[in-house]
Amino acid sequence: MSRKPVMAGNWKMYKTAAETTSFFEKFRPLVERSEHCEIVICPPFPNLPAAAAAAKDTRVAVGAQNMFWAKEGAFTGEVSASMLKSIGCSHVIIGHSERRQYFGETNETVLKKTLAALDAGLTPIVCVGETLEDREAGQTESVLIDHCQGGTSGLSAEQFSKILIAYEPVWAIGTGKTATPEIAADAHRVIRGAFSQPAANSLRILYGGSVKPDNIKGLMAQPEIDGALVGGASLDPISFASIVNF
Ligand code: PGA
């Protein structure tokens, strides 16, 4: 089963619009021929139009880092999937651990957002992952199964075939502690096994958590790992290009 890798950059709350444009100027030529994978960059909301303009007619797709599930309405401060679609986004990160930790997101909100994203024609990148506490308590498998099943329950086979999953162990995010390729591959097997969908074998599961140019090769050597969701190392065009071109 060959699954085309996806390399996604999560910029979190970094960069201005001008910095976004200058990132793309440097990044574009470095990935012009990177046909072996799909590339997605997820800047903060205000920089999405600048990113979409800079990515036009390139192989780079643009995604948001969050969205709300309603189509429109009195939801001050929120942004809908169709608004993202209308400004050129094709992807959206859903349920990142920072959203779960600081903004009260749960499997229920993840599922509502995933369904709304699919409905608007966006590709959801659904994030799952255990905390250090979960891992030390021997709960990694049950947390992953709970995140996967809770965040995607009731998806039709067609909807399921359009999602991406990102496995991001919370203890590896922004800490410089990457999961070893073996630990990541074990988790990816648990995740794939958590879905009873016939298309589970084609599901692409990205690894995220302190991915850097010097550890991407080892991670991608694991057949279970289908790409990466990269935070800090995606902010620099040379560093993210060398991850893309692992
Ligand atoms: P990091 O972040 O690469 O900086 O660890 C990954 C993420 O949170 O998506």
Side-chain angles (χ1 to χ4, degrees):
M1 167 67 55
S2 104
R3 297 181 290 256
K4 190 165 191 178
V6 181
M7 295 300 188
N10 171 13
W11 282 3
K12 310 197 178 186
M13 201 171 72
Y14 291 101
K15 290 195 195 289
T16 61
E19 286 164 350
T20 301
T21 306
S22 101
F23 172 95
F24 273 89
E25 272 161 22
K26 297 190 189 101
F27 184 66
R28 264 187 328 235
L30 302 174
V31 298
E32 221 166 37
R33 278 189 290 273
S34 309
E35 270 150 29
H36 61 285
C37 69
E38 292 170 18
I39 307 166
V40 189
I41 293 193
C42 304
F45 286 136
N47 304 337
L48 289 169
K56 201 166 184 278
D57 301 322
T58 73
R59 312 190 47 266
V60 183
V62 173
Q65 300 170 16
N66 180 34
M67 51 163 270
F68 190 57
W69 57 77
K71 285 200 166 73
E72 60 180 9
F75 302 105
T76 302
E78 294 296 326
V79 167
S80 74
S82 60
M83 291 171 188
L84 295 174
K85 181 86 181 169
S86 74
I87 55 164
C89 288
S90 52
H91 291 68
V92 59
I93 299 173
I94 298 204
H96 188 279
S97 64
E98 287 152 14
R99 304 275 337 152
R100 294 181 194 251
Q101 188 183 347
Y102 305 124
F103 304 98
E105 298 211 5
T106 61
N107 287 344
E108 289 70 48
T109 62
V110 168
L111 178 58
K112 285 182 176 177
K113 290 181 179 194
T114 301
L115 289 168
L118 288 165
D119 212 33
L122 294 174
T123 299
I125 306 176
V126 181
C127 300
V128 303
E130 81 287 358
T131 62
L132 185 58
E133 221 174 24
D134 297 329
R135 180 161 282 270
E136 284 173 348
Q139 301 292 318
T140 300
E141 277 200 25
S142 60
V143 168
L144 292 179
I145 292 171
D146 175 61
H147 280 178
C148 290
Q149 294 179 346
T152 68
S153 59
L155 258 58
S156 69
E158 203 204 330
Q159 286 170 324
F160 181 79
S161 70
K162 294 185 177 143
I163 69 169
L164 299 170
I165 294 280
Y167 167 58
E168 298 206 307
V170 178
W171 48 270
I173 295 178
T175 57
K177 277 191 222 149
T178 337
T180 61
E182 293 72 25
I183 290 179
D186 278 347
H188 283 216
R189 273 188 287 275
V190 169
I191 291 168
R192 198 173 298 286
F195 297 106
S196 52
Q197 293 273 2
N201 211 29
S202 330
L203 171 72
R204 286 173 297 174
I205 307 173
L206 322 185
Y207 168 78
S210 297
V211 173
K212 304 277 179 261
D214 62 5
N215 59 29
I216 185 67
K217 221 175 166 159
L219 289 161
M220 292 305 292
Q222 296 287 334
E224 273 299 335
I225 300 181
D226 308 312
L229 180 56
V230 186
S234 72
L235 292 167
D236 176 72
I238 295 174
S239 137
F240 191 45
S242 70
I243 291 173
V244 166
N245 298 323
F246 65 95

